[in-house]
Amino acid sequence: MSLPLATTSSLEAVTESIIFPPGDIYSDEPPLESDLHREQIDLLIRLIKWWWRDRQDFYATGNLTIYFSPNQKKSEEFRGPDFFVVLDTEKKDRKSWVVWQENGKYPNVIIEMLSDSTASVDKGLKKQIYQNTFRTPDYFWFDPNNLELQGFHIVDGQYQELAPTELGWLWSQQLDMYLGVESGKLRFFTPDGQLVILPEEEANQQLQQANQQLQQANQQLEQERQRAEKLAERLRATGIDPEQIF
């Protein structure tokens, strides 16, 4: 049965007045605790993207909302890890991570930056969510102030604490890298223990090596000059003018 024209017009008016949320809603995360937290998150993002610059099968970001409501509603069930990596997904920019729009994928790795106001949640509620709901294999937390670093890996559905190496590093199976503290920052290390560096750090290292080589060359030249001067003094002592030898 068709509706009366007036009723149809009313429904259309109501429908037009409804504002539906966009599918790619922006992340709605609170401000970061401090510059230290922001710089640390930015560093991790830049490092992983540079190290995997030839790969197209991952997504790495920080302080971005993950929407995971089973009802597919962005008004419920969402969290914003400080840093996370999703593997086997398309490498592209996103405004937020919406699980039901990403083939049900959750992060493979999550790192939270501890602070006085978030530590209890990061170590408690979030840890439980990442273990029981996200099933994120590798979970770490790091305090940029006191350099506390702790990590977990899921075994039989439960997080098991990772044992640090002699250097205090923790192994991430998902990243195939170590996480460790270097010069007061959380950094990545390759399986053979090499520090993962940024291009500007590599350029700085090359510049330092060039300066060292230049200094060594100058030292060798100075040593040769001094030897030549001593030889000239000995020749003069025997009555030979060094200038007349050649």
Side-chain angles (χ1 to χ4, degrees), residues 180-218:
V181 180
E182 175 73 18
S183 300
K185 297 290 185 182
L186 183 62
R187 302 290 298 254
F188 299 118
F189 297 85
T190 64
D192 60 355
Q194 298 299 311
L195 177 68
V196 175
I197 60 177
L198 296 169
E200 60 266 30
E201 293 177 318
E202 183 177 357
N204 186 52
Q205 285 185 356
Q206 294 174 346
L207 179 59
Q208 289 179 350
Q209 292 174 355
N211 288 334
Q212 290 175 354
Q213 293 173 353
L214 180 60
Q215 291 177 358
Q216 291 174 355
N218 288 336

Side-chain angles (χ1 to χ4, degrees), residues 15 20 46 69 81 86 91 106 147 153 160 171 179 184 235:
T15 302
F20 293 95
R46 294 185 62 208
S69 167
V86 183
K91 184 180 180 181
Y106 286 89
L147 308 185
H153 180 75
Q160 301 297 320
W171 177 249
L179 277 76
L235 291 173

Side-chain angles (χ1 to χ4, degrees), residues 122-170:
D122 292 335
K123 295 180 179 182
L125 177 60
K126 280 190 174 182
K127 182 170 176 280
Q128 291 301 312
I129 291 175
Y130 299 156
Q131 172 188 274
N132 300 331
T133 303
F134 284 24
R135 299 292 185 185
T136 295
D138 291 348
Y139 174 48
F140 302 87
W141 63 60
F142 176 68
D143 191 324
N145 292 302
N146 62 25
L147 308 185
E148 175 188 345
L149 174 62
Q150 196 165 353
F152 305 85
H153 180 75
I154 281 188
V155 179
D156 296 329
Q158 300 293 316
Y159 274 140
Q160 301 297 320
E161 185 174 351
L162 296 170
T165 67
E166 294 181 354
L167 296 174
W169 299 352
L170 300 176

Side-chain angles (χ1 to χ4, degrees), residues 212-228:
Q212 290 175 354
Q213 293 173 353
L214 180 60
Q215 291 177 358
Q216 291 174 355
N218 288 336
Q219 290 174 356
Q220 291 176 353
L221 287 173
E222 179 61 19
Q223 291 172 356
E224 292 297 331
R225 187 193 67 77
Q226 292 176 1
R227 281 196 290 267

Side-chain angles (χ1 to χ4, degrees), residues 110-125:
I110 291 177
I111 304 176
E112 292 287 5
M113 303 299 154
L114 301 183
S115 66
D116 291 341
S117 62
T118 66
S120 61
V121 176
D122 292 335
K123 295 180 179 182
L125 177 60

